[in-house]
Structure formats: C-alpha cells, structure tokens
Amino acid sequence: LFSFLSQPLVTGLVPSLDSTLGGTNVTINGLNLGYTQSDVSRVVIGERECTPFVLHSDRRLTCISPPGTGQSVVVQVINAGNLESPAAGLFSYRPPTIASVSPNYVLTGNVTYDFFITGTNFGNTLDSPSAVVVGGVACPNVTLVNATALWCRGVSGWSGACASVLL
C-alpha cells in the first residue's frame, strides 16, 4: 500500500504552559499529523523530544512534555516522510518566581555573602539558571539544588533588596 504524507501543521497545544520540569500530558492539535502511529517519527518541544507520543487522529496527538525553559518555544511534529510542521511558538515554560531570599538582611561594606533562594521554576537537571542577580550584583557561583531552590555564593558589594533569576 502507498500512503501520501502531507506536511503536518501544529495549530495549538493544551496546556500551552508548563513547569520547567516538564512531565505534563500535552495534547497537540493540528492538521495532517498522521493516520497511523508509524506516520509520526518525532515530536519536539523546544529542543527536546516529547515522548512517549500517541497519535489519536490526523488532528490530535498526545505526549509527555520534556523538561525545558523559555517562552514561545518551537513545537514540531516530524512525520515518517521527514516533513515537519512549521515552527510554532505555541508553548511556553513558566518563568521563575522568587518566594524567599536568605539572609534577608546584610551588612554594608566589603562583605561576601551566600544567599539561599527559594521559589519555583528555577530550572531542571538539564537547564539551570543563566543568571542570578541579588541586589544588582550578579552571583559569581550559582548551584541549582532543584527546581525550587538554589544557592548564590560569593556575592560582595550587595546594595539592595532585589533578587532575580533568569533562565
């Protein structure tokens, strides 16, 4: 039998927002996704495969989101004919949020501090923060404990009460 595969087109995802840890069941809606499971060779969110995936119809498939970071990341369905959906920025990972910074007070002057920061979406085992800033000073040494905690070590010249985490 001969089957003709058209270029797939991703039109939407549910949910369209996920934590940096991934692991969420995602429904991908579109056109020409495939007629049988073997029609789909890969599903990619960001730069990572969304596996396992299950094709439900030529307009819907589901997969488990990979860990990642970023806003409006590329979502692609690649079929067995190596045709891929045009890049679609229909999916985002939640940005980091800060719940606490400890210590929450410091002495002025040339003192070096280590800060323990808690919150959400600080990254995962594959993606760690690209920058952590405390009081306007970049952390020279960042250690990701897990997605909700990190150490910012060796900050000196701290002059404010503001902290930020960038992924």
Side-chain angles (χ1 to χ4, degrees), residues 117 129-134 137-140 142 150-152 155 163-166:
I117 302 173
S130 60
V132 176
V133 177
V134 177
V137 178
C139 294
V142 176
L150 60 83
W151 279 102
C152 166
V155 176
S164 63
V165 176
L166 305 174

Side-chain angles (χ1 to χ4, degrees), residues 78-115:
I78 298 102
N79 68 21
N82 234 11
L83 296 172
E84 57 188 61
S85 59
L90 302 172
F91 188 83
S92 294
Y93 289 97
R94 287 186 181 96
T97 60
I98 294 175
S100 68
V101 178
S102 180
N104 59 3
Y105 63 91
V106 296
L107 302 174
T108 58
N110 194 14
V111 180
T112 301
Y113 286 93
D114 293 344
F115 292 94

Side-chain angles (χ1 to χ4, degrees), residues 6 9 13-14 22 38 40 42 79 88 90 113 123 125 134 139 141:
S6 297
L9 174 66
L13 284 85
V14 177
S38 62
V40 181
R42 292 179 30 228
N79 68 21
L90 302 172
Y113 286 93
T125 56
V134 177
C139 294
N141 183 358

Side-chain angles (χ1 to χ4, degrees), residues 17-164:
L17 185 65
D18 197 6
S19 82
T20 57
L21 296 175
T24 300
N25 191 25
V26 176
T27 298
I28 298 176
N29 299 304
L31 302 170
N32 305 317
L33 299 179
Y35 296 100
T36 66
Q37 185 74 21
S38 62
D39 287 345
V40 181
S41 62
R42 292 179 30 228
V43 178
V44 179
I45 294 180
E47 296 180 1
R48 298 196 178 102
E49 293 204 22
C50 191
T51 58
F53 62 83
V54 176
L55 180 68
H56 299 277
S57 72
D58 69 328
R59 293 177 181 253
R60 184 172 73 91
L61 65 81
T62 56
C63 63
I64 303 299
S65 63
T69 61
Q71 303 294 302
S72 299
V73 299
V74 172
V75 176
Q76 293 183 305
V77 175
I78 298 102
N79 68 21
N82 234 11
L83 296 172
E84 57 188 61
S85 59
L90 302 172
F91 188 83
S92 294
Y93 289 97
R94 287 186 181 96
T97 60
I98 294 175
S100 68
V101 178
S102 180
N104 59 3
Y105 63 91
V106 296
L107 302 174
T108 58
N110 194 14
V111 180
T112 301
Y113 286 93
D114 293 344
F115 292 94
F116 187 70
I117 302 173
T118 62
T120 61
N121 296 306
F122 289 165
N124 52 65
T125 56
L126 302 172
D127 304 292
S128 59
S130 60
V132 176
V133 177
V134 177
V137 178
C139 294
N141 183 358
V142 176
T143 302
L144 182 66
V145 177
N146 56 41
T148 63
L150 60 83
W151 279 102
C152 166
R153 300 183 191 276
V155 176
S156 59
W158 192 85
S159 63
C162 181
S164 63

